[in-house]
Amino acid sequence: MKILVTGGLGYIGSHTCVELLQEGYEVVVLDNLSNSKEEVKEKIKEITGKEVKFYLGDMMDEQLLNNIFTTEKIDAVIDFAAYKAVGESVQKPIEYYMNNVSTVLVLLKVMTKHHVKKLVFSSSATVYGDPEKVPIKETDKTGGTTNPYGTSKLFVEQILKDLYKSDNTWDIAILRYFNPIGAHPSGLIGEEPNGIPANLMPYIAKVASKELECLSIFGNDYPTKDGTGVRDYIHVVDLAKGHIKALEKLEKESQGLYIYNLGTGIGYSVLDIVNAFEKVNHVKVNYKITNRRSGDIAECFADPTKAKDELGWEASLGIEDMCKDAYNFILKNKKD
Ligand code: WQD
């Protein structure tokens, strides 16, 4: 099978391309390099010994998308292409809705035209807003999103549900990621946030590598075990493997719309992560407690039972692997 991976040179996209190639899929990547680097293409080849076919461009470019579908015999699409910085989305709602929603409409239009109706969509646990209870099941209430990033994912999920209702020959898997962290054990690919990292793990890794001075822990007065925020951190390689399983599901089924939480089912606090990171990497992470970050919630972690039962997928890497691989990547790619 030949898979079009949009945003395929990005953090989760590149790790998924590695798994796809290693599973024997042919991979075509469309990426506008807005949050990735073209050199990642070579890194993917270094890891797998295989190449992706790369197209530089944006998903809003309908002509380019048509060319790709005409030139390449695409069997299915995995759509990663989106902006994902929660804080930035509050400042730039128009950019976020244009990039995260309008591009999907263009993609769906072109897929329909070329009779390609198998889609794996990169969604997020943020669609649950501030969850009423944890662990979170796929049937739990969504909505009440606290930022345009999460709302954009909710909008696309609704679009896909409406599309399937209008034409049930579509075959769609919606994957709700919890908190992807870590990097490929080779250290060749990982999370390279431009500028100051917004997310916890890359920030911790840069404090440990002395590229940043001190971690601010956003509040220790949440109703959690130690007062700091609790999240479901999942190794990006486990997450990537979840996409392979979702693709296999679409290969097996001729039509359907499926929603899965991709998490470990374990909630770790910010202090748990700091302690695990220090222990496994034998480093010190300087931190200070500061005020809460607006839009943050206290606790969010998955009930991953459905993905295990229906996809035969479950996360296998632990918090130590995540911390070790995250730091290994930063050390191997540290700019002197
Ligand atoms: C985790 C915890 C913070 C940074 C985001 C987005 C979205 C999603 C997952 C894809 C929280 C605390 C963080 C820091 C801190 N990705 N923190 N100091 O907000 O749970 O989710 O990533 O869908 O991008 O929803 O992740 O890593 O920002 O925060 O104390 O410098 O770490 O308060 O408790 P978040 P995060």
Side-chain angles (χ1 to χ4, degrees), residues 314-330:
E314 62 181 330
S316 60
L317 297 166
I319 202 67
E320 294 75 18
D321 299 302
M322 298 179 216
C323 292
K324 179 168 58 63
D325 292 336
Y327 195 40
N328 178 49
F329 175 72
I330 291 293

PDB file of all heavy atoms in Angstrom, residues 314-330:
ATOM      1  N   GLU A 314      -1.314  -1.524  22.262  1.00  0.00           N
ATOM      2  CA  GLU A 314      -1.173  -0.864  23.564  1.00  0.00           C
ATOM      3  C   GLU A 314       0.254  -0.357  23.704  1.00  0.00           C
ATOM      4  O   GLU A 314       1.185  -0.928  23.092  1.00  0.00           O
ATOM      5  CB  GLU A 314      -1.523  -1.803  24.724  1.00  0.00           C
ATOM      6  CG  GLU A 314      -0.670  -3.022  24.862  1.00  0.00           C
ATOM      7  CD  GLU A 314      -1.139  -3.892  26.054  1.00  0.00           C
ATOM      8  OE1 GLU A 314      -1.668  -3.344  27.047  1.00  0.00           O
ATOM      9  OE2 GLU A 314      -0.963  -5.111  25.974  1.00  0.00           O
ATOM     10  N   ALA A 315       0.386   0.731  24.467  1.00  0.00           N
ATOM     11  CA  ALA A 315       1.721   1.304  24.648  1.00  0.00           C
ATOM     12  C   ALA A 315       2.589   0.322  25.415  1.00  0.00           C
ATOM     13  O   ALA A 315       2.105  -0.380  26.312  1.00  0.00           O
ATOM     14  CB  ALA A 315       1.597   2.621  25.417  1.00  0.00           C
ATOM     15  N   SER A 316       3.865   0.243  25.036  1.00  0.00           N
ATOM     16  CA  SER A 316       4.734  -0.730  25.729  1.00  0.00           C
ATOM     17  C   SER A 316       5.937  -0.046  26.391  1.00  0.00           C
ATOM     18  O   SER A 316       6.595  -0.623  27.238  1.00  0.00           O
ATOM     19  CB  SER A 316       5.253  -1.762  24.724  1.00  0.00           C
ATOM     20  OG  SER A 316       6.004  -1.084  23.715  1.00  0.00           O
ATOM     21  N   LEU A 317       6.205   1.211  26.004  1.00  0.00           N
ATOM     22  CA  LEU A 317       7.382   1.903  26.550  1.00  0.00           C
ATOM     23  C   LEU A 317       6.976   2.709  27.793  1.00  0.00           C
ATOM     24  O   LEU A 317       5.913   3.319  27.818  1.00  0.00           O
ATOM     25  CB  LEU A 317       8.003   2.803  25.473  1.00  0.00           C
ATOM     26  CG  LEU A 317       8.536   2.035  24.258  1.00  0.00           C
ATOM     27  CD1 LEU A 317       8.828   2.985  23.098  1.00  0.00           C
ATOM     28  CD2 LEU A 317       9.790   1.250  24.628  1.00  0.00           C
ATOM     29  N   GLY A 318       7.863   2.701  28.794  1.00  0.00           N
ATOM     30  CA  GLY A 318       7.535   3.350  30.062  1.00  0.00           C
ATOM     31  C   GLY A 318       8.119   4.745  30.174  1.00  0.00           C
ATOM     32  O   GLY A 318       8.801   5.218  29.262  1.00  0.00           O
ATOM     33  N   ILE A 319       7.861   5.375  31.306  1.00  0.00           N
ATOM     34  CA  ILE A 319       8.263   6.776  31.496  1.00  0.00           C
ATOM     35  C   ILE A 319       9.789   6.908  31.463  1.00  0.00           C
ATOM     36  O   ILE A 319      10.321   7.921  30.994  1.00  0.00           O
ATOM     37  CB  ILE A 319       7.652   7.329  32.806  1.00  0.00           C
ATOM     38  CG1 ILE A 319       7.587   8.852  32.775  1.00  0.00           C
ATOM     39  CG2 ILE A 319       8.357   6.803  34.037  1.00  0.00           C
ATOM     40  CD1 ILE A 319       6.611   9.391  31.759  1.00  0.00           C
ATOM     41  N   GLU A 320      10.482   5.850  31.903  1.00  0.00           N
ATOM     42  CA  GLU A 320      11.957   5.914  31.873  1.00  0.00           C
ATOM     43  C   GLU A 320      12.453   5.957  30.420  1.00  0.00           C
ATOM     44  O   GLU A 320      13.335   6.740  30.069  1.00  0.00           O
ATOM     45  CB  GLU A 320      12.584   4.707  32.584  1.00  0.00           C
ATOM     46  CG  GLU A 320      12.335   4.630  34.092  1.00  0.00           C
ATOM     47  CD  GLU A 320      10.916   4.194  34.424  1.00  0.00           C
ATOM     48  OE1 GLU A 320      10.238   3.634  33.517  1.00  0.00           O
ATOM     49  OE2 GLU A 320      10.475   4.470  35.550  1.00  0.00           O
ATOM     50  N   ASP A 321      11.842   5.126  29.555  1.00  0.00           N
ATOM     51  CA  ASP A 321      12.229   5.135  28.129  1.00  0.00           C
ATOM     52  C   ASP A 321      11.986   6.514  27.532  1.00  0.00           C
ATOM     53  O   ASP A 321      12.786   7.048  26.765  1.00  0.00           O
ATOM     54  CB  ASP A 321      11.406   4.107  27.339  1.00  0.00           C
ATOM     55  CG  ASP A 321      11.613   2.681  27.827  1.00  0.00           C
ATOM     56  OD1 ASP A 321      12.769   2.219  27.826  1.00  0.00           O
ATOM     57  OD2 ASP A 321      10.622   2.064  28.235  1.00  0.00           O
ATOM     58  N   MET A 322      10.825   7.100  27.899  1.00  0.00           N
ATOM     59  CA  MET A 322      10.463   8.399  27.337  1.00  0.00           C
ATOM     60  C   MET A 322      11.493   9.454  27.745  1.00  0.00           C
ATOM     61  O   MET A 322      11.979  10.222  26.911  1.00  0.00           O
ATOM     62  CB  MET A 322       9.066   8.818  27.817  1.00  0.00           C
ATOM     63  CG  MET A 322       7.943   7.892  27.392  1.00  0.00           C
ATOM     64  SD  MET A 322       6.350   8.443  28.026  1.00  0.00           S
ATOM     65  CE  MET A 322       5.541   6.865  28.371  1.00  0.00           C
ATOM     66  N   CYS A 323      11.862   9.447  29.028  1.00  0.00           N
ATOM     67  CA  CYS A 323      12.827  10.454  29.528  1.00  0.00           C
ATOM     68  C   CYS A 323      14.213  10.229  28.928  1.00  0.00           C
ATOM     69  O   CYS A 323      14.888  11.182  28.523  1.00  0.00           O
ATOM     70  CB  CYS A 323      12.905  10.386  31.054  1.00  0.00           C
ATOM     71  SG  CYS A 323      11.395  10.915  31.880  1.00  0.00           S
ATOM     72  N   LYS A 324      14.594   8.967  28.832  1.00  0.00           N
ATOM     73  CA  LYS A 324      15.944   8.645  28.313  1.00  0.00           C
ATOM     74  C   LYS A 324      16.050   9.058  26.842  1.00  0.00           C
ATOM     75  O   LYS A 324      16.983   9.743  26.427  1.00  0.00           O
ATOM     76  CB  LYS A 324      16.195   7.141  28.477  1.00  0.00           C
ATOM     77  CG  LYS A 324      17.528   6.628  27.974  1.00  0.00           C
ATOM     78  CD  LYS A 324      17.828   5.196  28.436  1.00  0.00           C
ATOM     79  CE  LYS A 324      16.760   4.180  28.011  1.00  0.00           C
ATOM     80  NZ  LYS A 324      16.613   4.000  26.557  1.00  0.00           N
ATOM     81  N   ASP A 325      15.035   8.681  26.063  1.00  0.00           N
ATOM     82  CA  ASP A 325      15.083   8.973  24.615  1.00  0.00           C
ATOM     83  C   ASP A 325      14.934  10.470  24.323  1.00  0.00           C
ATOM     84  O   ASP A 325      15.534  11.001  23.390  1.00  0.00           O
ATOM     85  CB  ASP A 325      13.993   8.176  23.887  1.00  0.00           C
ATOM     86  CG  ASP A 325      14.270   6.670  23.904  1.00  0.00           C
ATOM     87  OD1 ASP A 325      15.461   6.299  24.057  1.00  0.00           O
ATOM     88  OD2 ASP A 325      13.314   5.884  23.792  1.00  0.00           O
ATOM     89  N   ALA A 326      14.161  11.149  25.158  1.00  0.00           N
ATOM     90  CA  ALA A 326      14.000  12.609  24.958  1.00  0.00           C
ATOM     91  C   ALA A 326      15.334  13.312  25.165  1.00  0.00           C
ATOM     92  O   ALA A 326      15.739  14.171  24.363  1.00  0.00           O
ATOM     93  CB  ALA A 326      12.954  13.159  25.926  1.00  0.00           C
ATOM     94  N   TYR A 327      16.034  12.904  26.237  1.00  0.00           N
ATOM     95  CA  TYR A 327      17.328  13.548  26.555  1.00  0.00           C
ATOM     96  C   TYR A 327      18.384  13.161  25.535  1.00  0.00           C
ATOM     97  O   TYR A 327      19.172  14.002  25.085  1.00  0.00           O
ATOM     98  CB  TYR A 327      17.760  13.174  27.967  1.00  0.00           C
ATOM     99  CG  TYR A 327      18.864  14.042  28.511  1.00  0.00           C
ATOM    100  CD1 TYR A 327      18.894  15.426  28.274  1.00  0.00           C
ATOM    101  CD2 TYR A 327      19.894  13.504  29.275  1.00  0.00           C
ATOM    102  CE1 TYR A 327      19.906  16.223  28.777  1.00  0.00           C
ATOM    103  CE2 TYR A 327      20.911  14.294  29.790  1.00  0.00           C
ATOM    104  CZ  TYR A 327      20.910  15.657  29.533  1.00  0.00           C
ATOM    105  OH  TYR A 327      21.925  16.447  30.040  1.00  0.00           O
ATOM    106  N   ASN A 328      18.398  11.903  25.141  1.00  0.00           N
ATOM    107  CA  ASN A 328      19.364  11.431  24.142  1.00  0.00           C
ATOM    108  C   ASN A 328      19.253  12.258  22.860  1.00  0.00           C
ATOM    109  O   ASN A 328      20.262  12.674  22.276  1.00  0.00           O
ATOM    110  CB  ASN A 328      19.091   9.939  23.853  1.00  0.00           C
ATOM    111  CG  ASN A 328      20.013   9.385  22.785  1.00  0.00           C
ATOM    112  OD1 ASN A 328      21.230   9.581  22.852  1.00  0.00           O
ATOM    113  ND2 ASN A 328      19.439   8.737  21.774  1.00  0.00           N
ATOM    114  N   PHE A 329      18.014  12.557  22.469  1.00  0.00           N
ATOM    115  CA  PHE A 329      17.814  13.341  21.238  1.00  0.00           C
ATOM    116  C   PHE A 329      18.376  14.755  21.395  1.00  0.00           C
ATOM    117  O   PHE A 329      19.078  15.277  20.524  1.00  0.00           O
ATOM    118  CB  PHE A 329      16.329  13.412  20.881  1.00  0.00           C
ATOM    119  CG  PHE A 329      16.046  14.309  19.705  1.00  0.00           C
ATOM    120  CD1 PHE A 329      16.393  13.917  18.411  1.00  0.00           C
ATOM    121  CD2 PHE A 329      15.478  15.565  19.881  1.00  0.00           C
ATOM    122  CE1 PHE A 329      16.168  14.762  17.320  1.00  0.00           C
ATOM    123  CE2 PHE A 329      15.251  16.412  18.798  1.00  0.00           C
ATOM    124  CZ  PHE A 329      15.597  16.000  17.517  1.00  0.00           C
ATOM    125  N   ILE A 330      18.067  15.378  22.543  1.00  0.00           N
ATOM    126  CA  ILE A 330      18.543  16.753  22.760  1.00  0.00           C
ATOM    127  C   ILE A 330      20.070  16.787  22.770  1.00  0.00           C
ATOM    128  O   ILE A 330      20.701  17.646  22.136  1.00  0.00           O
ATOM    129  CB  ILE A 330      17.977  17.309  24.094  1.00  0.00           C
ATOM    130  CG1 ILE A 330      16.464  17.530  23.983  1.00  0.00           C
ATOM    131  CG2 ILE A 330      18.693  18.601  24.506  1.00  0.00           C
ATOM    132  CD1 ILE A 330      16.023  18.623  23.043  1.00  0.00           C
TER     133      ILE A 330
END
